[in-house]
Amino acid sequence: MAGDFLLHARLEADTISLGRTDLCEIRLMNDRTWPWVLLVPRRPDIREIYQLSVADQQQLLAESSLLGKGMMGAFGGDKLNVAALGNMVPQLHLHHIVRREGDTGWPGPVWGLQAPEPYGEGELEAFLARLEPVLAELIKGVPAG
Amino acid sequence: MAGDFLLHARLEADTISLGRTDLCEIRLMNDRTWPWVLLVPRRPDIREIYQLSVADQQQLLAESSLLGKGMMGAFGGDKLNVAALGNMVPQLHLHHIVRREGDTGWPGPVWGLQAPEPYGEGELEAFLARLEPVLAELIKGVPAG
């Protein structure tokens, strides 16, 4: 029997809530190394994108594209990394990571590369100020297409 | 001025054509370590998913979900890794990698982990035989939703 949605404990511990969209929890990876935001659909017992209903899949994509484009604009990235891996945390979550040429780990993937470097207090506020317009739009609601 | 679509030389060299969908080239990563298939939208000058038209984004998602679900069924995976990275090859391409607990690199990401181990001839045929029903469905055409 399907239970209610509950954010996975590992995601709860590693990330900071930035609010919620129509479908997802928006979570900031607490690692100052790269701008890195997750979308976690509030659907119980979902591991893979294809397990979502078609409507939810399209909603996730619309939210992901708005978020990714906004992050790239806000942080001036060279390449966005978008990924649903879930080898460590099977609950479906979609990574959005702004990459710059020459950043830590470039051009390799960032997962498992190093221990996270948490944001300092003032640093987190400055980061969120840049992300604020995108978050506001995401939270207001994104039509699926 | 936008040119015609041309598959990036690095993708051409590292992968094997499995046909094409309405939107994408289907390419097998020539690495026997993991079942690993790319979808490459036949659109010129696109680096990010959000740069595609909304209709193309939804089409890519529909094709990706059909492919991913089919690969997981055909190869009995524990987790699908779906990702658009593009740090090495900026032309938009969407990875689909079937992961098994304890496979090479588990639970880390596979990119850059080791030099590819190309399929042997009989091996490739056996692999493709298992993928054939999914490929047939993909090539026949997938409604966007």
Side-chain angles (χ1 to χ4, degrees):
Chain A
M1 201 174 73
D4 291 336
F5 171 81
L6 190 68
L7 189 67
H8 190 286
R10 174 75 184 268
L11 294 179
E12 183 80 45
D14 292 348
T15 65
I16 297 166
S17 175
L18 299 183
R20 41 169 59 182
T21 67
D22 287 339
L23 177 63
C24 296
E25 297 293 314
I26 315 170
R27 307 287 304 195
L28 174 67
M29 188 67 78
N30 192 7
D31 189 334
R32 58 191 293 283
T33 316
W34 312 271
W36 184 345
V37 177
L38 307 183
L39 289 178
V40 188
R42 284 190 307 280
R43 298 287 185 256
D45 306 319
I46 297 285
R47 297 164 55 95
E48 308 289 353
I49 294 172
Y50 62 74
Q51 293 173 338
L52 292 170
S53 70
V54 170
D56 279 355
Q57 289 184 42
Q58 292 184 351
Q59 183 66 33
L60 176 60
L61 175 66
E63 294 178 359
S64 169
S65 286
L66 192 150
L67 172 62
K69 185 178 180 181
M71 289 177 69
M72 286 286 278
F75 300 105
D78 293 311
K79 194 67 195 66
L80 185 69
N81 291 176
V82 181
L85 304 183
N87 304 340
M88 318 272 284
V89 174
Q91 179 176 72
L92 177 61
H93 55 288
L94 193 56
H95 298 270
H96 303 75
I97 307 159
V98 173
R99 304 299 303 273
R100 286 189 193 140
E101 289 178 26
D103 70 12
T104 304
W106 181 266
V110 306
W111 301 274
L113 194 64
Q114 59 177 23
E117 295 181 14
Y119 285 93
E121 192 126 332
E123 215 174 28
L124 182 59
E125 278 170 27
F127 178 91
L128 292 179
R130 292 168 74 178
L131 201 57
E132 172 53 31
V134 188
L135 289 177
E137 214 179 332
L138 257 183
I139 291 167
K140 195 180 64 190
V142 188
Chain B
M1 202 174 73
D4 292 337
F5 171 80
L6 191 69
L7 189 68
H8 190 287
R10 173 74 183 268
L11 295 179
E12 183 79 46
D14 292 349
T15 66
I16 296 165
S17 176
L18 299 182
R20 41 170 57 184
T21 68
D22 287 340
L23 177 62
C24 296
E25 297 294 313
I26 315 170
R27 308 286 305 196
L28 174 69
M29 189 67 80
N30 192 8
D31 188 334
R32 58 191 291 284
T33 316
W34 312 273
W36 185 345
V37 178
L38 307 183
L39 290 178
V40 189
R42 284 189 307 279
R43 299 287 185 254
D45 306 319
I46 297 286
R47 297 162 57 95
E48 307 289 353
I49 294 171
Y50 62 73
Q51 294 174 336
L52 291 170
S53 71
V54 170
D56 280 355
Q57 289 183 43
Q58 292 184 352
Q59 183 65 34
L60 177 60
L61 175 65
E63 294 178 359
S64 169
S65 286
L66 192 150
L67 172 62
K69 186 178 180 182
M71 288 176 69
M72 286 286 278
F75 300 104
D78 293 310
K79 193 69 193 65
L80 185 68
N81 292 177
V82 181
L85 304 183
N87 305 339
M88 317 272 284
V89 174
Q91 180 176 72
L92 177 61
H93 56 287
L94 193 57
H95 299 268
H96 303 76
I97 307 160
V98 173
R99 304 299 303 272
R100 285 189 193 142
E101 290 178 25
D103 69 13
T104 303
W106 180 266
V110 306
W111 300 275
L113 195 63
Q114 59 177 23
E117 295 181 15
Y119 285 94
E121 192 126 333
E123 215 174 26
L124 182 59
E125 277 170 28
F127 178 92
L128 291 179
R130 291 168 75 178
L131 201 56
E132 173 52 31
V134 189
L135 289 178
E137 215 179 332
L138 257 183
I139 291 166
K140 194 180 64 189
V142 188

